[in-house]
Amino acid sequence: MGFVPTVNQQAAITTIDCDLVVSAGAGSGKTKVLVERFIYLLKQGVRINEIVAITFTRKAALEMKERIRQALIAGDYSSDMVNVLEQAHISTIHGFCQRLIADHPLQAEVDPRFRVAEEWESRGLLYQVTQAQLAYALADGKQGIIELCESRQPGKIVDDLVDIYERMVSKGTKDFNVEDDSKYLVTEITILRQKL
């Protein structure tokens, strides 16, 4: 027995007169609904290159593309249609933006040779920038930073700063300008360290 969509899933598959976001928990059938929606759009005469499908992970994008390929083959679509599927805009948001900018580098004012950094690369850059900023603060004689470095290993400070930054970003924080409370924090850090 094939996929039998719920009422809400069927609405997500067949609603084409407006933008649509499918959001649901793991294992709820999101990918199946998006595959069915993609096929439904093709049946309505929408061309493959006119459809954009955004997923959270590369793995999900590849899985979706493969499921659509299987559905096209099972649905007796032409081999040309199956071959054109490689041009489909099925990717993560990063992949979609990369393709969009690569297609329009002049308008985006971006070097056309750019690429999206892998997670490990961007984390490495974050560490480099953090280390450089710490070095600048020490060179400028920032007393709170000097005291912090005297009581803690500089490498550990960088780890902590990167961790704090990543936590703030994950919570949607955009304002990193905070009051300098270092004189109070040094005392708190010292007390906490003594407890460890």
Side-chain angles (χ1 to χ4, degrees):
M1 185 170 162
F3 173 66
V4 180
T6 65
V7 173
N8 287 338
Q9 289 173 329
Q10 186 63 35
I13 292 167
T14 59
T15 301
I16 62 172
D17 59 343
C18 62
D19 293 336
L20 181 73
V21 174
V22 175
S23 176
S28 61
K30 290 184 303 294
T31 303
K32 185 65 177 166
V33 166
L34 290 173
V35 168
E36 292 295 321
R37 179 175 172 76
F38 199 100
I39 299 299
Y40 181 80
L41 290 168
L42 294 176
K43 287 178 182 175
Q44 302 308 305
V46 178
R47 294 191 314 251
I48 283 180
N49 65 353
E50 295 175 325
I51 303 170
V52 174
I54 303 295
T55 64
F56 285 104
T57 65
R58 289 182 190 167
K59 181 181 175 186
L62 291 171
E63 180 183 340
M64 185 184 303
K65 194 173 274 193
E66 183 54 33
R67 286 190 190 184
I68 291 169
R69 180 186 325 287
Q70 291 170 1
L72 289 174
I73 292 168
D76 223 9
Y77 285 84
S78 71
S79 59
D80 287 344
M81 176 86 66
V82 175
N83 292 336
V84 172
L85 183 61
E86 287 309 311
Q87 299 171 13
H89 304 289
I90 302 171
S91 65
T92 62
I93 190 69
H94 294 91
F96 173 73
C97 292
Q98 180 178 1
R99 186 173 183 168
L100 187 64
I101 293 170
D103 289 348
H104 306 282
L106 195 59
Q107 294 87 342
E109 298 179 6
V110 173
D111 185 330
R113 298 169 295 180
F114 89 99
R115 67 181 181 79
V116 175
E118 295 294 332
E119 186 175 336
W120 63 269
E121 291 174 304
S122 60
R123 199 160 208 289
L125 288 171
L126 178 58
Y127 268 91
Q128 288 177 10
V129 168
T130 305
Q131 288 168 340
Q133 291 302 312
L134 183 61
Y136 292 143
L138 287 170
D140 282 348
K142 303 273 185 190
Q143 194 56 41
I145 298 295
I146 292 170
E147 290 173 12
L148 194 58
C149 287
E150 287 173 351
S151 65
R152 196 155 170 88
Q153 297 172 359
K156 185 62 178 146
I157 293 170
V158 171
D159 288 342
D160 291 344
L161 290 172
V162 167
D163 183 52
I164 291 166
Y165 172 82
E166 288 176 337
R167 287 182 193 198
M168 290 174 73
V169 168
S170 73
K171 294 183 186 305
T173 303
K174 294 181 181 159
D175 182 13
F176 294 97
N177 296 317
V178 293
E179 291 183 33
D180 182 7
D181 290 336
S182 57
K183 59 185 173 195
Y184 305 110
L185 292 175
V186 170
T187 306
E188 288 180 33
I189 290 170
T190 305
I191 292 169
L192 286 171
R193 228 181 265 126
Q194 290 171 350
K195 290 180 180 179
L196 296 174

